[in-house]
Amino acid sequence: QSALTQPASVSGSPGQSITISCTGTSSDVGGYNYVSWYQQHPGKAPKLMIYDVTKRPSGVSNRFSGSKSGNTASLTISGLQAEDEADYYCSSYTSSSTRVFGGGTKLTVL
Amino acid sequence: QVQLVESGGGLVKPGGSLRLSCAASGFTFSDYYMSWIRQAPGKGLEWVSYISNTGSTIYYADSVKGRFTISRDNAKNSLYLQMNSLRAEDTAVYYCARDDYRIDYWGQGTLVTVSS
């Protein structure tokens, strides 16, 4: 049950686009289309932003999009806004029928 | 609207026990898998355990297997986590969460501190 690998931090200026990667194995990210992404502001519970690799829950801005290639999933945020500054976590279903999270990425909006 | 409200957290000595509860409302509780997820202070999210809608299927993270027990009472719309043999590394905010291959709803969390 090793954690998925995410960059510790990414940054971008308002209006720009950024991408956060999430690397796993064929037993989790690469084997299933059950990758999800969460946004967490300090002191708050996480919020679902993307599920099933590419789907957006109702109410989530279309500036957020997800994709996957092989064992790596990605979250892209376009038109970066100050309110997007937060921690982001990926998660995947695994071949052991468990769930695994990434270590988290801190997004800084410059 | 969906609400998940955890309770039962607090300060406990190493080796001690604690039982967390989660009261669910706003959805048909018995239709959904449920999970517990924790977050140590300043650290990332860690999935702890999940239970199927009927309670017949249960999985645990290796870090808690044999020490924690997840259960549910569909008649009471409640989820539980019995934590035994607690260690300092179990110190975290514990979130109750609705699990549908993604966590679409989270509680506000309850803090468990294991310290002498």
mmCIF file of all heavy atoms in Angstrom, chain B residues 30-61:
data_model
loop_
_atom_site.group_PDB
_atom_site.id
_atom_site.type_symbol
_atom_site.label_atom_id
_atom_site.label_comp_id
_atom_site.label_asym_id
_atom_site.label_seq_id
_atom_site.Cartn_x
_atom_site.Cartn_y
_atom_site.Cartn_z
ATOM 1 N N SER B 30 -27.939 3.138 3.922
ATOM 2 C CA SER B 30 -27.783 1.707 3.662
ATOM 3 C C SER B 30 -27.450 1.395 2.201
ATOM 4 O O SER B 30 -27.196 0.241 1.862
ATOM 5 C CB SER B 30 -29.051 0.956 4.073
ATOM 6 O OG SER B 30 -30.164 1.464 3.373
ATOM 7 N N ASP B 31 -27.443 2.403 1.342
ATOM 8 C CA ASP B 31 -27.112 2.191 -0.073
ATOM 9 C C ASP B 31 -25.619 2.374 -0.357
ATOM 10 O O ASP B 31 -25.153 2.039 -1.449
ATOM 11 C CB ASP B 31 -27.878 3.173 -0.966
ATOM 12 C CG ASP B 31 -29.326 2.777 -1.172
ATOM 13 O OD1 ASP B 31 -29.703 1.647 -0.789
ATOM 14 O OD2 ASP B 31 -30.092 3.612 -1.703
ATOM 15 N N TYR B 32 -24.868 2.913 0.601
ATOM 16 C CA TYR B 32 -23.506 3.346 0.316
ATOM 17 C C TYR B 32 -22.439 2.656 1.157
ATOM 18 O O TYR B 32 -22.624 2.395 2.342
ATOM 19 C CB TYR B 32 -23.383 4.858 0.532
ATOM 20 C CG TYR B 32 -24.055 5.662 -0.540
ATOM 21 C CD1 TYR B 32 -25.406 5.999 -0.413
ATOM 22 C CD2 TYR B 32 -23.358 6.070 -1.672
ATOM 23 C CE1 TYR B 32 -26.047 6.724 -1.411
ATOM 24 C CE2 TYR B 32 -23.993 6.804 -2.665
ATOM 25 C CZ TYR B 32 -25.332 7.115 -2.529
ATOM 26 O OH TYR B 32 -25.953 7.839 -3.513
ATOM 27 N N TYR B 33 -21.293 2.380 0.484
ATOM 28 C CA TYR B 33 -20.082 2.046 1.201
ATOM 29 C C TYR B 33 -19.659 3.286 1.991
ATOM 30 O O TYR B 33 -19.947 4.422 1.592
ATOM 31 C CB TYR B 33 -18.966 1.690 0.223
ATOM 32 C CG TYR B 33 -19.020 0.301 -0.378
ATOM 33 C CD1 TYR B 33 -20.216 -0.267 -0.819
ATOM 34 C CD2 TYR B 33 -17.853 -0.446 -0.531
ATOM 35 C CE1 TYR B 33 -20.231 -1.541 -1.371
ATOM 36 C CE2 TYR B 33 -17.858 -1.706 -1.099
ATOM 37 C CZ TYR B 33 -19.054 -2.248 -1.517
ATOM 38 O OH TYR B 33 -19.076 -3.506 -2.072
ATOM 39 N N MET B 34 -18.935 3.072 3.078
ATOM 40 C CA MET B 34 -18.426 4.166 3.892
ATOM 41 C C MET B 34 -16.966 3.904 4.247
ATOM 42 O O MET B 34 -16.552 2.747 4.374
ATOM 43 C CB MET B 34 -19.238 4.310 5.178
ATOM 44 C CG MET B 34 -20.705 4.663 4.976
ATOM 45 S SD MET B 34 -20.976 6.302 4.272
ATOM 46 C CE MET B 34 -20.376 7.361 5.593
ATOM 47 N N SER B 35 -16.203 4.973 4.396
ATOM 48 C CA SER B 35 -14.788 4.849 4.731
ATOM 49 C C SER B 35 -14.411 5.739 5.909
ATOM 50 O O SER B 35 -15.099 6.718 6.211
ATOM 51 C CB SER B 35 -13.915 5.270 3.537
ATOM 52 O OG SER B 35 -13.780 4.242 2.598
ATOM 53 N N TRP B 36 -13.317 5.381 6.547
ATOM 54 C CA TRP B 36 -12.620 6.261 7.491
ATOM 55 C C TRP B 36 -11.274 6.614 6.844
ATOM 56 O O TRP B 36 -10.567 5.736 6.334
ATOM 57 C CB TRP B 36 -12.376 5.587 8.827
ATOM 58 C CG TRP B 36 -13.606 5.432 9.666
ATOM 59 C CD1 TRP B 36 -14.376 4.315 9.820
ATOM 60 C CD2 TRP B 36 -14.195 6.450 10.493
ATOM 61 N NE1 TRP B 36 -15.421 4.562 10.676
ATOM 62 C CE2 TRP B 36 -15.339 5.858 11.110
ATOM 63 C CE3 TRP B 36 -13.908 7.785 10.790
ATOM 64 C CZ2 TRP B 36 -16.165 6.559 11.991
ATOM 65 C CZ3 TRP B 36 -14.730 8.476 11.657
ATOM 66 C CH2 TRP B 36 -15.838 7.878 12.249
ATOM 67 N N ILE B 37 -10.956 7.886 6.896
ATOM 68 C CA ILE B 37 -9.706 8.409 6.353
ATOM 69 C C ILE B 37 -9.113 9.313 7.407
ATOM 70 O O ILE B 37 -9.851 10.024 8.094
ATOM 71 C CB ILE B 37 -9.987 9.188 5.051
ATOM 72 C CG1 ILE B 37 -10.493 8.224 3.964
ATOM 73 C CG2 ILE B 37 -8.738 9.918 4.557
ATOM 74 C CD1 ILE B 37 -11.304 8.876 2.892
ATOM 75 N N ARG B 38 -7.797 9.280 7.577
ATOM 76 C CA ARG B 38 -7.188 10.110 8.612
ATOM 77 C C ARG B 38 -6.099 10.996 8.040
ATOM 78 O O ARG B 38 -5.580 10.749 6.944
ATOM 79 C CB ARG B 38 -6.632 9.243 9.733
ATOM 80 C CG ARG B 38 -5.428 8.377 9.353
ATOM 81 C CD ARG B 38 -5.042 7.499 10.543
ATOM 82 N NE ARG B 38 -3.878 6.663 10.235
ATOM 83 C CZ ARG B 38 -3.375 5.760 11.080
ATOM 84 N NH1 ARG B 38 -3.938 5.575 12.278
ATOM 85 N NH2 ARG B 38 -2.324 5.048 10.724
ATOM 86 N N GLN B 39 -5.767 12.026 8.817
ATOM 87 C CA GLN B 39 -4.735 12.978 8.417
ATOM 88 C C GLN B 39 -3.958 13.404 9.655
ATOM 89 O O GLN B 39 -4.495 14.102 10.520
ATOM 90 C CB GLN B 39 -5.370 14.196 7.731
ATOM 91 C CG GLN B 39 -4.367 15.163 7.144
ATOM 92 C CD GLN B 39 -5.040 16.210 6.269
ATOM 93 O OE1 GLN B 39 -6.150 16.641 6.520
ATOM 94 N NE2 GLN B 39 -4.350 16.619 5.206
ATOM 95 N N ALA B 40 -2.719 12.953 9.749
ATOM 96 C CA ALA B 40 -1.862 13.351 10.853
ATOM 97 C C ALA B 40 -1.552 14.839 10.736
ATOM 98 O O ALA B 40 -1.577 15.404 9.637
ATOM 99 C CB ALA B 40 -0.569 12.532 10.836
ATOM 100 N N PRO B 41 -1.256 15.491 11.848
ATOM 101 C CA PRO B 41 -0.996 16.946 11.826
ATOM 102 C C PRO B 41 0.083 17.319 10.822
ATOM 103 O O PRO B 41 1.193 16.781 10.851
ATOM 104 C CB PRO B 41 -0.551 17.234 13.263
ATOM 105 C CG PRO B 41 -1.204 16.173 14.075
ATOM 106 C CD PRO B 41 -1.200 14.949 13.218
ATOM 107 N N GLY B 42 -0.260 18.200 9.882
ATOM 108 C CA GLY B 42 0.697 18.656 8.890
ATOM 109 C C GLY B 42 1.050 17.643 7.817
ATOM 110 O O GLY B 42 1.964 17.891 7.010
ATOM 111 N N LYS B 43 0.339 16.526 7.794
ATOM 112 C CA LYS B 43 0.648 15.451 6.834
ATOM 113 C C LYS B 43 -0.484 15.259 5.839
ATOM 114 O O LYS B 43 -1.482 15.965 5.861
ATOM 115 C CB LYS B 43 0.911 14.142 7.590
ATOM 116 C CG LYS B 43 2.029 14.228 8.610
ATOM 117 C CD LYS B 43 3.366 14.502 7.956
ATOM 118 C CE LYS B 43 4.498 14.478 8.981
ATOM 119 N NZ LYS B 43 5.820 14.798 8.355
ATOM 120 N N GLY B 44 -0.315 14.270 4.964
ATOM 121 C CA GLY B 44 -1.301 13.996 3.929
ATOM 122 C C GLY B 44 -2.409 13.073 4.396
ATOM 123 O O GLY B 44 -2.469 12.655 5.555
ATOM 124 N N LEU B 45 -3.292 12.761 3.459
ATOM 125 C CA LEU B 45 -4.430 11.890 3.742
ATOM 126 C C LEU B 45 -3.999 10.426 3.701
ATOM 127 O O LEU B 45 -3.187 10.037 2.872
ATOM 128 C CB LEU B 45 -5.531 12.129 2.711
ATOM 129 C CG LEU B 45 -6.095 13.542 2.633
ATOM 130 C CD1 LEU B 45 -7.007 13.688 1.428
ATOM 131 C CD2 LEU B 45 -6.837 13.891 3.913
ATOM 132 N N GLU B 46 -4.575 9.641 4.603
ATOM 133 C CA GLU B 46 -4.308 8.200 4.634
ATOM 134 C C GLU B 46 -5.633 7.467 4.760
ATOM 135 O O GLU B 46 -6.359 7.650 5.737
ATOM 136 C CB GLU B 46 -3.390 7.829 5.794
ATOM 137 C CG GLU B 46 -3.099 6.327 5.858
ATOM 138 C CD GLU B 46 -2.336 5.900 7.098
ATOM 139 O OE1 GLU B 46 -2.255 6.680 8.068
ATOM 140 O OE2 GLU B 46 -1.837 4.763 7.120
ATOM 141 N N TRP B 47 -5.947 6.626 3.801
ATOM 142 C CA TRP B 47 -7.132 5.795 3.885
ATOM 143 C C TRP B 47 -6.928 4.750 4.983
ATOM 144 O O TRP B 47 -5.868 4.150 5.094
ATOM 145 C CB TRP B 47 -7.379 5.094 2.543
ATOM 146 C CG TRP B 47 -8.480 4.100 2.602
ATOM 147 C CD1 TRP B 47 -9.821 4.338 2.552
ATOM 148 C CD2 TRP B 47 -8.328 2.687 2.747
ATOM 149 N NE1 TRP B 47 -10.506 3.156 2.662
ATOM 150 C CE2 TRP B 47 -9.609 2.126 2.788
ATOM 151 C CE3 TRP B 47 -7.223 1.846 2.864
ATOM 152 C CZ2 TRP B 47 -9.830 0.764 2.924
ATOM 153 C CZ3 TRP B 47 -7.425 0.486 2.985
ATOM 154 C CH2 TRP B 47 -8.724 -0.047 3.017
ATOM 155 N N VAL B 48 -7.951 4.570 5.824
ATOM 156 C CA VAL B 48 -7.855 3.676 6.980
ATOM 157 C C VAL B 48 -8.642 2.381 6.775
ATOM 158 O O VAL B 48 -8.129 1.275 6.977
ATOM 159 C CB VAL B 48 -8.360 4.378 8.256
ATOM 160 C CG1 VAL B 48 -8.443 3.411 9.427
ATOM 161 C CG2 VAL B 48 -7.466 5.568 8.590
ATOM 162 N N SER B 49 -9.919 2.526 6.361
ATOM 163 C CA SER B 49 -10.774 1.342 6.278
ATOM 164 C C SER B 49 -12.037 1.684 5.513
ATOM 165 O O SER B 49 -12.442 2.848 5.470
ATOM 166 C CB SER B 49 -11.153 0.873 7.688
ATOM 167 O OG SER B 49 -12.020 -0.248 7.646
ATOM 168 N N TYR B 50 -12.652 0.643 4.905
ATOM 169 C CA TYR B 50 -13.997 0.870 4.387
ATOM 170 C C TYR B 50 -14.857 -0.358 4.639
ATOM 171 O O TYR B 50 -14.378 -1.453 4.891
ATOM 172 C CB TYR B 50 -14.000 1.275 2.911
ATOM 173 C CG TYR B 50 -13.862 0.192 1.876
ATOM 174 C CD1 TYR B 50 -14.871 -0.738 1.647
ATOM 175 C CD2 TYR B 50 -12.729 0.138 1.082
ATOM 176 C CE1 TYR B 50 -14.732 -1.707 0.682
ATOM 177 C CE2 TYR B 50 -12.578 -0.828 0.112
ATOM 178 C CZ TYR B 50 -13.585 -1.749 -0.097
ATOM 179 O OH TYR B 50 -13.445 -2.710 -1.060
ATOM 180 N N ILE B 51 -16.168 -0.108 4.591
ATOM 181 C CA ILE B 51 -17.155 -1.132 4.844
ATOM 182 C C ILE B 51 -18.252 -1.032 3.785
ATOM 183 O O ILE B 51 -18.677 0.059 3.423
ATOM 184 C CB ILE B 51 -17.743 -0.989 6.274
ATOM 185 C CG1 ILE B 51 -18.703 -2.127 6.605
ATOM 186 C CG2 ILE B 51 -18.412 0.377 6.469
ATOM 187 C CD1 ILE B 51 -19.090 -2.176 8.088
ATOM 188 N N SER B 52 -18.675 -2.172 3.276
ATOM 189 C CA SER B 52 -19.713 -2.175 2.255
ATOM 190 C C SER B 52 -21.052 -1.738 2.846
ATOM 191 O O SER B 52 -21.216 -1.640 4.062
ATOM 192 C CB SER B 52 -19.844 -3.559 1.624
ATOM 193 O OG SER B 52 -20.275 -4.502 2.604
ATOM 194 N N ASN B 53 -22.018 -1.523 1.991
ATOM 195 C CA ASN B 53 -23.306 -0.997 2.448
ATOM 196 C C ASN B 53 -24.012 -1.959 3.405
ATOM 197 O O ASN B 53 -24.716 -1.523 4.325
ATOM 198 C CB ASN B 53 -24.207 -0.656 1.265
ATOM 199 C CG ASN B 53 -24.476 -1.839 0.351
ATOM 200 O OD1 ASN B 53 -23.584 -2.640 0.076
ATOM 201 N ND2 ASN B 53 -25.687 -1.953 -0.131
ATOM 202 N N THR B 54 -23.804 -3.254 3.224
ATOM 203 C CA THR B 54 -24.441 -4.237 4.116
ATOM 204 C C THR B 54 -23.541 -4.618 5.295
ATOM 205 O O THR B 54 -23.994 -5.309 6.208
ATOM 206 C CB THR B 54 -24.792 -5.512 3.355
ATOM 207 O OG1 THR B 54 -23.561 -6.086 2.851
ATOM 208 C CG2 THR B 54 -25.733 -5.225 2.201
ATOM 209 N N GLY B 55 -22.298 -4.212 5.245
ATOM 210 C CA GLY B 55 -21.347 -4.581 6.292
ATOM 211 C C GLY B 55 -20.661 -5.915 6.050
ATOM 212 O O GLY B 55 -19.849 -6.343 6.874
ATOM 213 N N SER B 56 -20.950 -6.535 4.936
ATOM 214 C CA SER B 56 -20.408 -7.868 4.677
ATOM 215 C C SER B 56 -18.972 -7.836 4.149
ATOM 216 O O SER B 56 -18.265 -8.845 4.216
ATOM 217 C CB SER B 56 -21.297 -8.611 3.675
ATOM 218 O OG SER B 56 -21.346 -7.914 2.447
ATOM 219 N N THR B 57 -18.554 -6.702 3.615
ATOM 220 C CA THR B 57 -17.207 -6.578 3.062
ATOM 221 C C THR B 57 -16.473 -5.455 3.781
ATOM 222 O O THR B 57 -16.976 -4.338 3.865
ATOM 223 C CB THR B 57 -17.244 -6.286 1.562
ATOM 224 O OG1 THR B 57 -17.921 -7.349 0.895
ATOM 225 C CG2 THR B 57 -15.830 -6.153 1.004
ATOM 226 N N ILE B 58 -15.297 -5.775 4.293
ATOM 227 C CA ILE B 58 -14.509 -4.815 5.068
ATOM 228 C C ILE B 58 -13.043 -4.948 4.676
ATOM 229 O O ILE B 58 -12.535 -6.071 4.504
ATOM 230 C CB ILE B 58 -14.673 -5.080 6.580
ATOM 231 C CG1 ILE B 58 -16.068 -4.654 7.054
ATOM 232 C CG2 ILE B 58 -13.594 -4.370 7.384
ATOM 233 C CD1 ILE B 58 -16.376 -5.044 8.490
ATOM 234 N N TYR B 59 -12.381 -3.813 4.530
ATOM 235 C CA TYR B 59 -10.940 -3.799 4.277
ATOM 236 C C TYR B 59 -10.272 -2.775 5.186
ATOM 237 O O TYR B 59 -10.892 -1.775 5.567
ATOM 238 C CB TYR B 59 -10.643 -3.443 2.811
ATOM 239 C CG TYR B 59 -10.952 -4.559 1.849
ATOM 240 C CD1 TYR B 59 -12.176 -4.607 1.190
ATOM 241 C CD2 TYR B 59 -10.026 -5.568 1.598
ATOM 242 C CE1 TYR B 59 -12.468 -5.640 0.310
ATOM 243 C CE2 TYR B 59 -10.308 -6.595 0.713
ATOM 244 C CZ TYR B 59 -11.542 -6.634 0.076
ATOM 245 O OH TYR B 59 -11.827 -7.650 -0.790
ATOM 246 N N TYR B 60 -8.996 -3.060 5.501
ATOM 247 C CA TYR B 60 -8.214 -2.163 6.361
ATOM 248 C C TYR B 60 -6.863 -1.872 5.722
ATOM 249 O O TYR B 60 -6.305 -2.702 5.005
ATOM 250 C CB TYR B 60 -7.960 -2.800 7.724
ATOM 251 C CG TYR B 60 -9.189 -3.094 8.534
ATOM 252 C CD1 TYR B 60 -9.744 -4.364 8.560
ATOM 253 C CD2 TYR B 60 -9.802 -2.086 9.279
ATOM 254 C CE1 TYR B 60 -10.881 -4.641 9.304
ATOM 255 C CE2 TYR B 60 -10.942 -2.341 10.033
ATOM 256 C CZ TYR B 60 -11.480 -3.627 10.037
ATOM 257 O OH TYR B 60 -12.600 -3.892 10.767
ATOM 258 N N ALA B 61 -6.325 -0.708 6.038
ATOM 259 C CA ALA B 61 -4.940 -0.414 5.705
ATOM 260 C C ALA B 61 -4.046 -1.285 6.583
ATOM 261 O O ALA B 61 -4.397 -1.615 7.719
ATOM 262 C CB ALA B 61 -4.636 1.061 5.952
#
